[in-house]
Amino acid sequence: MVLTQANLLRAVPDTNKERLNEFIASFNMYAVYFGLTSPKRIAHYLAQCWTQTGALKATSENLNYSADRLLQVFPKYFKDRATAESYARHPEMIANRVYANRMGNGDEASGDGWKYRGRGYIMITGKSGYLAYEQSGFCNGHLTAHPEWLVKSPGRIKSALWFWYKSGCNKLADADDIRTITQRINGGMNGFADRQYY
């Protein structure tokens, strides 16, 4: 099955058209290699990519949260309003706090949370995720030294295809298990209604 601009824009007309042609060309080149060979697998893959990126508009995690959103989205890390307000609208500080001491990252002062924030069409996150892709054989170069490569082509799509495949999402798509796919891609259920819609 080959994707075309016409069939994708019919389904999701609000897509970033500048990135769409690059997405289609790369997808059509690599999809079969990563097992995206049926309409159901492709539909699930696209739904996750479109939700993660806001229809291909963002290839890097924003993290520009208000105090109210920090309290809602990250209650484990922001337990009181005063702390949330001190971090609000400071994406680098937020990333360093919420991603500290997990996913292979160092502590908050290390800056790893921001350096290895979600990037690419599936938003690989954390130093361990970047390192796994770097060592996968599909990444050309030292990604952990150049994490910005995941926002550029072809890194943003190849990393997404690799993550999808290595996370076992093809079999989950065959079973139409959007909940488990979402948990593997997102780490939670953020944007679940959008994933269902797409």
Side-chain angles (χ1 to χ4, degrees):
M1 181 175 178
V2 175
L3 295 182
T4 67
Q5 186 182 77
N7 61 24
L8 280 177
L9 286 177
R10 189 168 53 248
V12 279
D14 64 337
T15 297
N16 179 311
K17 291 167 188 67
E18 291 177 25
R19 290 197 180 119
L20 185 60
N21 287 333
E22 176 261 335
F23 181 93
I24 291 168
S26 296
F27 180 89
N28 289 337
M29 184 181 303
Y30 299 114
V32 171
Y33 184 84
F34 289 102
L36 286 154
T37 54
S38 72
K40 192 179 279 191
R41 289 180 178 188
I42 292 168
H44 277 280
Y45 176 78
L46 294 176
Q48 296 295 326
C49 288
W50 257 245
T51 303
Q52 290 289 104
T53 63
L56 303 184
K57 293 179 181 83
T59 57
S60 182
E61 192 175 10
N62 184 329
L63 293 156
N64 188 20
Y65 290 101
S66 67
D68 287 338
R69 285 297 289 157
L70 287 173
L71 292 166
Q72 292 171 354
V73 177
F74 300 113
K76 180 178 178 181
Y77 303 100
F78 299 96
K79 298 182 187 305
D80 60 83
R81 177 154 293 279
T83 303
E85 286 177 354
S86 70
Y87 280 78
R89 303 294 179 203
H90 296 288
E92 187 169 346
M93 289 172 53
I94 294 167
N96 288 333
R97 182 177 181 97
V98 301
Y99 295 140
N101 300 310
R102 61 190 187 104
M103 300 181 292
N105 292 341
D107 64 14
E108 190 170 344
S110 72
D112 285 351
W114 180 250
K115 185 175 183 180
Y116 302 113
R117 67 191 179 279
R119 289 190 178 97
Y121 286 138
I122 282 201
M123 301 285 175
I124 291 177
T125 309
K127 187 174 183 178
S128 58
Y130 280 62
L131 186 59
Y133 179 58
E134 179 181 301
Q135 296 173 344
S136 69
F138 301 107
C139 176
N140 300 322
H142 299 290
L143 181 65
T144 49
H146 300 281
E148 70 279 1
W149 289 349
L150 285 190
V151 299
K152 299 175 182 175
S153 181
R156 58 187 171 209
I157 190 158
K158 283 178 69 180
S159 64
L161 289 162
W162 166 81
F163 188 88
W164 173 271
Y165 179 80
K166 75 112 182 155
S167 299
C169 292
N170 283 326
K171 288 186 178 182
L172 295 170
D174 292 342
D176 217 15
D177 187 355
I178 190 171
R179 288 188 174 278
T180 305
I181 292 171
T182 298
Q183 289 169 341
R184 293 211 181 151
I185 299 296
N186 180 256
M189 298 303 285
N190 292 331
F192 187 67
D194 289 336
R195 294 169 207 274
Q196 289 179 305
Y197 169 77
Y198 286 131

